[in-house]
């Protein structure tokens, strides 16, 4: 592009500051010249001016060069950018030479960051000052001895690549310090476009990493993100007339108008989207750097991680070749490699639409993230989930959310490739949506994720942790629509819950939670707590004690995720008091388990067979949980009838754990089909951990061996656990073991157990109950996502409810078994 300069400005008088200022003002006012072309034109105009200044200063033709560094060196200048210039020289120079260049620049009103150095001095400074080294990586020749500039560039790049193992951790730490000081660009109402995480400084760091040839950022969308941030910065400079990087509230409307954007909210959404692209690219890049540096130092091999070797094709792309290593299975189709969740070699994304959620849940529950290549492959190959979702998809979403803080980077990875909006189309309206309220610290979508994180720590407080987590994720989904967001959200969540395959009763509960997620705190802080109408307003909204518990936990999670000003001890006490009054009024309509359905013909047949033979009788029904037969984890419907005997529940659960079958739900009840004594009927729904069911004959044989004592289930499980590689798990709330109030049952003592699901959990509970010498007359076992919610109806050997003291001892024994 040809730049027309002011007629009064030219090589004959480069030191005239007014001439350059006039040419610069004309360029900035030129119609139709915006964005990157304007920045490049401004850089060329400045290049010509500085080159003229060097010539006018009487610089020798060799041994002296004028070099642009830093942002100016990259060839793009924003309207109020500083000029970073290095006067490079070999041997002595006239003392007045630098001043003849710098003073006209100062007189023109430009901000100048200048230095005068020899190549050796420049390299020495770079060796001790990382910021100086980063600036020299972008060195660009302006005028004078071009060979001198080229030699310096070559030497600086060589130094940078040689020192990369030592300098890259320092570069990363600089980024962390900036993020701590300036926050995350993608969530701030008044963000710093340059210094905040996801801003222009991070783009410079990514280019510096790429220059080492050790790793490179994922480039999809990165150039567009950089262009958007630079354009906003330009518009901000022009709107304010200042060299500011902070997009303050009072300037956002003017900046939006200059960019032709609808309004300030749309402007912020575009900035947030760009910042998230940069931040995610940074995360991916730094993980790659960590792997390479660990491999180079030998830490990877000592920790059982792979050795890496560089390939010619890897330069500039971050490609590395992995040695042969073992992969640790995480879930069906998902393994851990290099500290990330990746697809197993046999995974079939095109035939397994649940795989993205399964991979995400497995990664989060193990404190990992999903590798960038894996997320891209999932986005490219996986079909959309069928509607309604299969059960496994819903369970995996709940498992992902239940991981708490560990779910956040995984969610960000899914969102970076569009997988979240594919799963939840209504998410698009809240994605990157700002909240112009000083109380809120997050955008709408991130607030929803943070609320789910907070709710994950409260799952022991409710009987339905799955509904709590999903309600937390969706409670503000209506903010993308006009009107009251609670009312709009209720409509949306009914549709979403149906898409997810929730039954009608659960859909209604989710709708109530979303519609009334502000009701508790609003009522507690604005109404008289002693007025009966205040309590009645709450009981009418929720209707049942379990719904009140869910709403209470959601209210607290929502407030804690909003920001420090949204929740206080005073508000908490008001809400707690209101909930206590409402709970007292709702008491008696509690959470008794659903009554048993009449035994099926098959169940009665098995019970009769067990009663007559005195031996276990069982049936197995296997079916695929995925959309296609053979894809995804396999489900098993197992029914077992056994003459009543001590230790039965724990023994059967242990055999299932040995066969890597995870219990999704289970029921235990007594029958007396022929009047010859009680038979326990166990109905299980289990899923194969890695997709392959055990042979029915083998499972049946192991069950019989365990029941007759020839198979020591506990020892076998302990041996397997000892042989498995150990890794630190994610933090989870401690198990809750409690004796329900006597009104829960008049014929048995009800023991409630809520815990994070783990292999062998039900086996440990069963052994503890057996060791305590109590009978399990009935049991209701549910695994909701990664949370187990179990109720055991216990009696003493004579069939009577336990005394209060005895019940407490049994509860203590179960707590000890769960650690």
């Amino acid at each position: 592009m040809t730049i027309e300069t002011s007629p009064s400005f030219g090589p004959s008088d480069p030191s005239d500051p007014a001439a350059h200022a006039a040419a610069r003002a004309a360029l900035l006012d030129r119609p139709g010249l915006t964005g990157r072309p304007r920045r490049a034109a401004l850089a060329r105009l400045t290049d010509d001016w500085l080159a003229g200044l060097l010539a006018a200063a009487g610089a020798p033709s060799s041994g002296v060069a004028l070099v642009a560094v830093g942002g100016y060196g990259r060839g793009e200048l924003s309207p109020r950018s500083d000029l970073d210039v290095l006067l490079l020289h070999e041997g002595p120079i006239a003392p007045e030479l630098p001043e003849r260049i710098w003073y006209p620049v100062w007189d023109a009103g430009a901000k100048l960051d200048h230095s005068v150095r020899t190549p050796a001095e420049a390299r020495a400074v770079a060796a001790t000052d990382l910021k100086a080294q980063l600036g020299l990586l972008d060195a660009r020749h302006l005028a004078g001895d071009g060979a001198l500039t080229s030699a310096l560039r070559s030497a600086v790049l060589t130094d940078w690549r040689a020192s990369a193992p030592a300098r890259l951790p320092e570069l990363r730490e600089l980024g962390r310090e900036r993020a701590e000081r300036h926050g995350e660009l993608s969530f701030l109402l008044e963000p710093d476009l340059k210094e905040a995480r996801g801003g222009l400084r991070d783009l410079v760091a990514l280019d510096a990493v790429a220059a080492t040839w050790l790793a490179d950022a994922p480039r999809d969308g990165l150039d567009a993100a950089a262009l958007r941030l630079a354009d906003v910065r330009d518009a901000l400079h022009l709107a304010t007339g200042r060299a500011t990087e902070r997009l303050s509230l009072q300037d956002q409307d003017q900046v939006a108008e200059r960019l032709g954007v609808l309004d300030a909210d749309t402007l912020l959404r575009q900035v947030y989207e760009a910042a998230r692209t940069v931040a995610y690219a940074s995360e991916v890049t730094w993980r790659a750097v960590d792997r390479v540096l660990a491999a180079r130092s030998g830490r990877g091999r000592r920790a059982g991680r792979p050795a890496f070797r560089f390939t010619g094709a890897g330069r500039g792309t971050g490609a590395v070749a992995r040695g042969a290593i073992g992969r640790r299975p995480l879930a069906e189709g998902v393994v851990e490699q290099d500290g990330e969740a990746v697809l197993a070699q046999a995974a079939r994304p095109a035939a397994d639409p649940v795989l993205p959620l399964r991979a995400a849940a497995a990664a989060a529950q193990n404190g990992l993230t999903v590798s960038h290549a894996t997320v891209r492959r999932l986005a490219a190959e996986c079909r959309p989930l069928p509607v309604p979702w299969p059960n496994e998809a819903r369970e995996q979403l709940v498992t992902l959310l239940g991981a708490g803080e560990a779910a956040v980077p995984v969610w960000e990875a899914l969102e970076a490739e569009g997988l979240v909006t594919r799963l939840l189309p209504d998410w698009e309206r809240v994605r990157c949506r700002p909240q112009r309220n000083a109380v809120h610290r997050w955008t709408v979508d991130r607030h929803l994720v943070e609320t789910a994180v907070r709710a994950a720590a409260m799952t022991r407080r409710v009987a339905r942790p799955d509904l709590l987590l999903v309600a937390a994720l969706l409670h503000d989904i209506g903010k993308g629509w006009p009107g009251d967001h609670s009312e709009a959200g209720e409509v949306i969540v009914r549709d979403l819950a149906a898409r997810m395959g929730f039954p009608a009763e659960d859909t209604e509960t989710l709708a109530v939670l979303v519609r009334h997620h502000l009701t508790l705190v609003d009522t507690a802080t604005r109404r008289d707590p002693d007025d009966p109408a205040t309590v009645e307003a709450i009981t009418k909204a929720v209707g049942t004690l379990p719904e009140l518990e869910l709403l209470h936990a959601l209210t607290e999670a929502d407030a804690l995720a909003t920001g420090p000003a949204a929740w206080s001890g005073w508000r908490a006490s008001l809400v707690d008091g209101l909930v206590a009054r409402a709970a007292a009024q709702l008491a008696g309509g509690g959470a008794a388990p659903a009554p048993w359905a009449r035994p099926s013909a098959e169940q009665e047949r098995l019970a009769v067979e067990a009663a007559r033979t005195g031996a276990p009788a069982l049936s197995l029904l296997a079916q695929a949980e995925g959309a296609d037969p053979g894809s995804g984890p396999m489900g098993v419907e197992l029914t077992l009838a056994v003459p009543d005997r001590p230790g039965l529940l724990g023994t059967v659960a242990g055999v299932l754990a040995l066969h890597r079958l995870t219990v999704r739900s289970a029921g235990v009840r007594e029958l007396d089909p022929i009047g010859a004594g009680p038979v326990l009927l166990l109905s299980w729904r289990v899923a194969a951990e890695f997709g392959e069911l055990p042979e029915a004959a083998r499972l049946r044989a192991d069950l019989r061996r365990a029941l007759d004592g020839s198979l020591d289930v506990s020892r076998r499980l302990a041996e397997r656990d000892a042989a498995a590689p150990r890794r630190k798990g994610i933090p989870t709330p401690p198990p809750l073991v409690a004796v329900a109030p006597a009104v829960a049952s008049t014929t048995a003592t009800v023991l409630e157990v809520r815990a994070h699901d783990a292999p062998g959990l039900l086996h440990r509970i069963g052994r503890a109950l057996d060791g305590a010498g109590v009978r399990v007359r009935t049991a209701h076992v549910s695994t909701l996502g990664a949370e187990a919610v179990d109720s055991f109806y216990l009696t003493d050997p004579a069939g009577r409810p336990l005394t209060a003291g005895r019940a407490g001892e049994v509860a203590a024994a179960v707590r000890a078994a769960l650690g």
Side-chain angles (χ1 to χ4, degrees):
M1 180 175 181
T2 303
I3 304 298
E4 297 179 8
T5 58
S6 169
S8 62
F9 176 81
S12 60
D13 191 13
S15 60
D16 181 0
H20 173 71
R24 185 177 179 280
L27 188 152
L28 293 177
D29 290 340
R30 183 172 302 168
L33 184 62
T34 61
R36 180 172 286 168
R38 180 173 59 199
R39 290 190 292 276
L42 185 57
R44 287 197 296 272
L45 177 65
T46 307
D47 291 352
D48 294 343
W49 177 44
L50 293 177
L53 289 175
L54 181 66
S61 58
S62 63
V64 174
L66 202 59
V67 183
V69 297
Y72 181 29
R74 289 187 291 276
E76 291 194 352
L77 275 182
S78 289
R80 297 288 176 177
S81 291
D82 294 355
L83 300 180
D84 297 333
V85 183
L86 166 65
L87 183 61
L88 191 65
H89 66 95
E90 282 184 330
I93 57 173
E96 65 275 10
L97 178 62
E99 295 180 355
R100 291 177 180 174
I101 303 170
W102 310 147
Y103 274 100
V105 177
W106 290 325
D107 290 342
K111 290 187 177 181
L112 181 66
D113 187 352
H114 61 88
S115 58
V116 181
R117 294 188 178 114
T118 66
E121 289 171 342
R123 292 176 67 187
V125 170
T128 58
D129 185 341
L130 179 58
K131 293 181 180 179
Q133 190 167 39
L134 294 176
L136 287 173
L137 290 177
D138 293 309
R140 180 171 59 86
H141 183 69
L142 295 178
D145 189 342
L148 193 60
T149 303
S150 296
L152 176 64
R153 275 185 52 84
S154 178
V156 166
L157 281 170
T158 299
D159 293 343
W160 176 241
R161 288 166 185 150
S163 64
R167 302 313 294 268
L168 286 180
E170 185 181 353
L171 177 60
R172 186 176 195 176
E173 187 57 31
L174 279 179
R176 286 174 174 163
E177 291 173 358
R178 282 200 318 274
E180 289 178 0
R181 288 196 307 271
H182 299 281
E184 295 194 53
L185 176 52
S186 54
F187 305 121
L188 297 168
L189 276 177
E190 293 187 308
D192 188 307
L193 300 170
K194 188 174 184 179
E195 303 292 345
R197 180 176 180 264
L200 294 166
R201 286 278 193 208
D202 282 347
L203 287 163
V204 175
L206 290 177
D207 286 342
V209 173
T212 65
W213 290 347
L214 298 185
D216 194 9
R219 291 291 164 181
D220 288 351
L222 196 58
D223 287 344
L227 183 62
R228 169 52 58 182
L229 292 178
D231 287 351
V232 173
R233 183 193 192 201
D234 286 1
L236 179 62
H237 283 189
L238 292 172
T240 62
R242 294 180 288 111
T244 179
E245 314 298 338
R246 185 169 297 281
L247 186 59
S248 62
L249 292 172
Q250 64 265 26
D251 299 324
Q252 290 173 10
D253 287 325
Q254 296 180 63
V255 172
E257 183 178 358
R258 281 186 172 273
L259 293 171
V261 173
L262 178 63
D263 55 27
D265 275 5
T266 304
L267 169 68
L268 280 181
R269 290 191 78 174
Q270 292 180 355
V271 169
Y272 293 163
E273 288 174 353
R276 289 189 188 185
T277 298
V278 176
Y280 178 64
S282 297
E283 287 295 321
V284 172
T285 302
W286 285 115
R287 289 202 303 268
V289 168
D290 286 345
R291 291 194 298 271
V292 172
L293 295 185
R296 279 193 159 191
S297 68
R299 293 197 308 272
R301 288 186 292 276
R302 287 196 300 271
R305 295 170 67 179
F308 288 79
R309 62 181 184 276
F310 292 97
T311 64
R315 292 189 172 186
T317 65
V320 289
R322 294 180 174 86
I325 62 165
R327 293 179 163 197
R328 184 171 76 96
L330 299 176
E332 173 61 17
V334 188
V335 298
E336 177 187 355
Q337 178 176 290
D338 305 342
E340 297 178 324
V342 303
L343 295 185
Q345 293 178 353
R348 299 166 54 207
D352 189 357
V354 183
L355 188 55
L357 281 173
R358 192 184 313 122
Q365 286 291 329
N366 285 276
L368 308 171
T369 191
V370 186
S371 79
H372 174 62
T374 294
V375 178
R376 292 195 64 189
R377 185 181 171 194
L378 291 171
E381 298 183 23
C382 281
R383 301 194 314 269
L385 282 169
V387 177
W389 292 6
N391 290 340
E392 192 213 345
R394 190 170 61 255
E395 291 167 357
Q396 296 293 356
L397 174 63
V398 172
T399 302
L400 167 61
L401 299 176
E405 289 284 356
V408 175
V410 176
W411 189 271
E412 290 177 341
L414 297 182
E415 196 160 40
E417 295 297 332
L419 284 168
V420 171
T421 49
R422 185 188 299 183
L423 292 167
L424 306 170
D426 293 280
W427 194 261
E428 181 60 31
R429 282 184 172 265
V430 297
R431 188 174 63 85
C432 294
R433 181 173 291 276
Q435 304 202 76
R436 294 188 176 276
N437 185 323
V439 173
H440 278 278
R441 60 181 298 192
W442 307 109
T443 54
V444 177
D445 59 335
R446 181 58 180 268
H447 169 69
L448 294 175
V449 175
E450 290 290 332
T451 304
V453 168
R454 298 287 187 167
M458 303 176 185
T459 51
R460 302 293 179 269
R461 291 168 44 177
V462 298
R464 289 296 302 273
D466 56 333
L467 298 184
L468 172 62
L469 292 168
V470 173
L473 182 71
L474 301 177
H475 74 278
D476 275 347
I477 198 72
K479 284 191 173 178
W481 295 83
D484 186 317
H485 76 277
S486 298
E487 295 178 0
E490 178 186 4
V491 176
I492 296 168
V493 84
R494 288 183 187 277
D495 177 66
L496 280 175
R499 286 174 57 89
M500 293 178 184
F502 279 104
E505 183 179 354
D506 290 349
T507 297
E508 186 62 30
T509 298
L510 288 170
V512 167
L513 294 174
V514 171
R515 175 66 181 87
H516 293 288
H517 71 271
L518 297 176
T519 299
L520 273 181
V521 72
D522 284 350
T523 304
T525 56
R526 299 177 184 178
R527 301 274 294 273
D528 179 3
D530 295 322
D531 187 342
T534 302
V535 175
E536 186 178 359
I538 301 303
T539 57
K540 283 184 176 180
V542 294
T544 68
L545 196 55
E547 284 187 354
L548 178 63
E549 291 175 346
L550 285 166
L551 186 61
H552 188 192
L554 175 60
T555 299
E556 186 174 341
D558 181 19
L560 290 171
T562 297
W567 196 244
S568 64
W570 172 74
R571 287 195 174 199
S573 65
L574 290 178
V575 170
D576 289 348
L578 179 58
V579 169
R581 289 179 173 87
Q585 188 164 316
L586 290 170
W596 285 103
R598 179 179 177 82
S600 67
E602 175 64 8
Q603 289 174 333
E604 288 184 341
R605 183 191 67 79
L606 292 172
V608 169
E609 180 183 342
R612 286 179 175 170
T613 63
L618 65 89
S619 69
L620 288 167
L621 175 64
Q623 59 184 26
E625 288 272 0
D628 298 319
S631 70
M634 298 290 289
V636 180
E637 297 290 341
L638 184 153
T639 305
L640 175 67
V642 186
D644 194 7
R645 49 170 292 173
L648 182 61
L649 178 63
T651 299
V652 175
V655 172
L656 297 180
L658 273 179
H659 285 265
R660 297 193 181 277
L661 294 171
T662 58
V663 178
R664 304 310 301 174
S665 65
V668 179
R669 59 171 161 170
E670 286 184 348
L671 296 176
D672 191 355
I674 61 175
V679 169
L680 279 187
L681 184 69
L682 299 91
S683 302
W684 307 75
R685 184 171 73 86
V686 297
E689 189 176 357
F690 299 114
E692 294 185 1
L693 287 172
E695 295 179 0
R698 183 179 174 188
L699 179 59
R700 187 179 286 108
D702 281 352
L703 282 168
R704 287 175 174 157
R705 290 172 56 213
L707 292 172
D708 67 23
S710 60
L711 174 62
D712 189 338
V713 175
S714 297
R715 182 179 61 82
R716 288 279 301 276
L717 285 173
E719 290 173 349
R720 191 182 73 181
D721 290 345
R726 295 185 178 275
R727 95 172 267 118
K728 186 178 179 181
I730 60 171
T732 59
L736 174 67
V737 181
V739 179
V743 294
S745 173
T746 59
T747 59
T749 298
V750 181
L751 185 72
E752 295 181 345
V753 179
R754 300 174 185 176
H756 191 76
D757 192 30
L761 175 70
L762 191 54
H763 172 66
R764 296 199 300 276
I765 295 173
R767 285 194 66 200
L769 294 176
D770 182 40
V774 295
R775 291 179 56 201
V776 179
R777 197 191 69 192
T778 305
H780 296 264
V781 175
S782 298
T783 304
L784 305 170
E787 300 300 317
V789 180
D790 305 338
S791 297
F792 301 92
Y793 285 65
L794 309 176
T795 68
D796 63 17
R800 296 169 304 202
L802 308 181
T803 65
R806 187 78 180 95
E809 293 172 358
V810 173
V814 174
R815 286 192 202 98
L818 298 182

